[in-house]
């Protein structure tokens, strides 16, 4: 049997690969996203990153009517979040939470890829961000 045949047979025995979600969503975040999507009558919330702030990047959340060709779809706890392709390397294994207390009402991202945050918490930097800045001479 050729090598490709052996690999195909092994793949058939293993079955489809189980992929981990790009991000995880807490119950509080899922509840808030569900509420917002119902209120706006939109099927998706789109998560992205934008070059902004004193540390390089900040998270963006927008409503979306359809999945883009390269968007990563995260379906968890009854909500659907699209992750923009350019955000993937910055948000992989991030946990999305929602905090609602006397001082604030906001989504919070617990990102193990973050190498630093500004004092106000509005922007962050990942290894990819810092290496891009070094390559461009910043």
């Amino acid at each position: 049997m050729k090598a490709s045949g052996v690999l195909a047979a092994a793949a058939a025995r293993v079955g489809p690969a189980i992929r981990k979600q790009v991000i995880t969503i807490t119950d509080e975040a899922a509840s808030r996203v569900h509420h917002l999507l119902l209120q706006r009558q939109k099927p998706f919330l789109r998560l992205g990153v934008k070059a902004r702030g004193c540390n390089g990047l900040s998270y963006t959340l927008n409503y979306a009517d359809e999945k883009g060709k390269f968007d990563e779809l995260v379906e968890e706890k009854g909500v659907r979040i699209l992750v923009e392709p350019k955000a993937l390397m910055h948000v992989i294994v991030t946990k999305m939470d929602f905090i609602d207390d006397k001082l604030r009402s906001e989504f919070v991202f617990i990102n193990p890829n973050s190498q630093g945050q500004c004092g106000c918490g509005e922007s962050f930097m990942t290894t990819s961000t810092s290496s891009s800045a070094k390559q461009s001479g910043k």
Side-chain angles (χ1 to χ4, degrees):
M1 188 184 281
K2 290 184 176 180
S4 60
V6 171
L7 290 175
R13 283 192 305 270
V14 171
I18 297 173
R19 278 182 50 185
K20 287 183 80 174
Q21 296 278 19
V22 173
I23 62 170
T24 57
I25 306 165
T26 65
D27 292 339
E28 293 81 8
S31 175
R32 184 63 179 164
V33 168
H34 181 72
H35 170 76
L36 293 171
L37 292 175
L38 278 177
Q39 192 175 33
R40 293 285 181 116
Q41 297 182 349
K42 299 287 183 179
F44 305 105
L45 195 63
R46 178 173 281 121
L47 170 64
V49 294
K50 184 176 187 177
R52 183 171 69 186
C54 49
N55 246 346
L57 296 171
S58 65
Y59 300 101
T60 62
L61 288 170
N62 295 295
Y63 298 103
D65 289 315
E66 59 187 42
K67 180 183 179 297
K69 184 175 181 178
F70 299 107
D71 286 342
E72 182 77 22
L73 174 62
V74 175
E75 290 185 274
E76 188 175 342
K77 299 179 180 158
V79 297
R80 299 188 302 173
I81 296 178
L82 302 172
V83 180
E84 292 178 350
K86 72 176 188 173
L88 277 174
M89 67 180 160
H90 301 291
V91 302
I92 198 152
V93 303
T94 294
K95 184 192 303 184
M96 181 179 178
D97 196 6
F98 183 75
I99 307 245
D100 189 16
D101 60 26
K102 291 180 182 180
L103 297 176
R104 61 190 176 158
S105 181
E106 65 185 353
F107 287 103
V108 176
F109 297 90
I110 297 100
N111 187 342
N113 303 308
S114 178
Q115 300 293 311
Q117 270 186 304
C118 66
C120 65
E122 288 295 318
S123 65
F124 68 101
M125 175 178 45
T126 64
T127 305
S128 300
T129 312
S130 59
S131 62
S132 296
K134 287 177 187 172
Q135 288 173 358
S136 65
K138 293 181 183 173

